Amino acid sequence: MKKFAYLAATVAALAMTGTAHAGNPDGKLQVKLLGTAVLVDGKVSQVISDGARLVATGGVTNTDINDNVVPTVAVEYFFTPKVSVETICCVTGHHVTVSSGTLKGVDAIDNVQIIPATFTAKYHLPLGAIKPYVGAGPTLFLMINDRPSAAVRGLGVTRTKLSSQLGVAVQAGADVAIGNGYSLTLDAKKYWVSTEATFYTATGTALQTRHKLDPWVLSAGLAYRF
């Protein structure tokens, strides 16, 4: 969170240097450059199969996924001054760790990369320079890369697979106008989305589990409307 706060403050400071380029505070398009903290759950919600008996023997009883801070771009189109639709673009990297069981502390999956493709419909409350909003919409978490850790490969796992899944997101935030089409922006999203993790050996499936991702995604940065 310290890293997130520093990044957010840096982006906000940059906003003060960019006001010479005039935009349109009532324009149809708005682009945001954000620093984003992705705070993931990662707990096991269901054991689908346990061919290697890693759960049955107490080796793995729960997992955790680390948090991350990434740059994010958001693009927003305003249908009316109060109604808009927004999409975000980022890639966030994580790893899955055993959080309880005899293998506690062991990394299970390395280098998980996620694209949280999200579209939200937003309703704005124009209150002078401060414009709070709420929104909601669908999301698709695309898992584009993952691999078993060295420790898991030592147990005979040759490949891992995290499933891409649909989910929903809600958000709330505010844009604070600083002039010439620029705003400082704060945003909080809560997601409800899961993934299935499958661990393969040379002879079949060793373990398949379902995990809650359900992240909080907290962003701050600079918006430009034109």
Side-chain angles (χ1 to χ4, degrees), residues 34 40 72 118 190:
L34 306 164
V40 192
T72 305
T118 305
K190 174 62 179 177

Side-chain angles (χ1 to χ4, degrees), residues 104-154:
K104 181 179 179 179
V106 171
D107 281 348
I109 301 177
D110 286 336
N111 196 38
V112 179
Q113 291 182 311
I114 305 172
I115 300 176
T118 305
F119 291 87
T120 52
K122 298 169 62 177
Y123 182 80
H124 303 256
L125 295 172
L127 301 176
I130 300 176
K131 298 177 175 63
Y133 59 81
V134 293
T139 186
L140 173 62
F141 272 37
L142 296 166
M143 306 298 183
I144 60 174
N145 190 33
D146 63 82
R147 59 175 181 244
S149 69
V152 168
R153 290 197 302 271

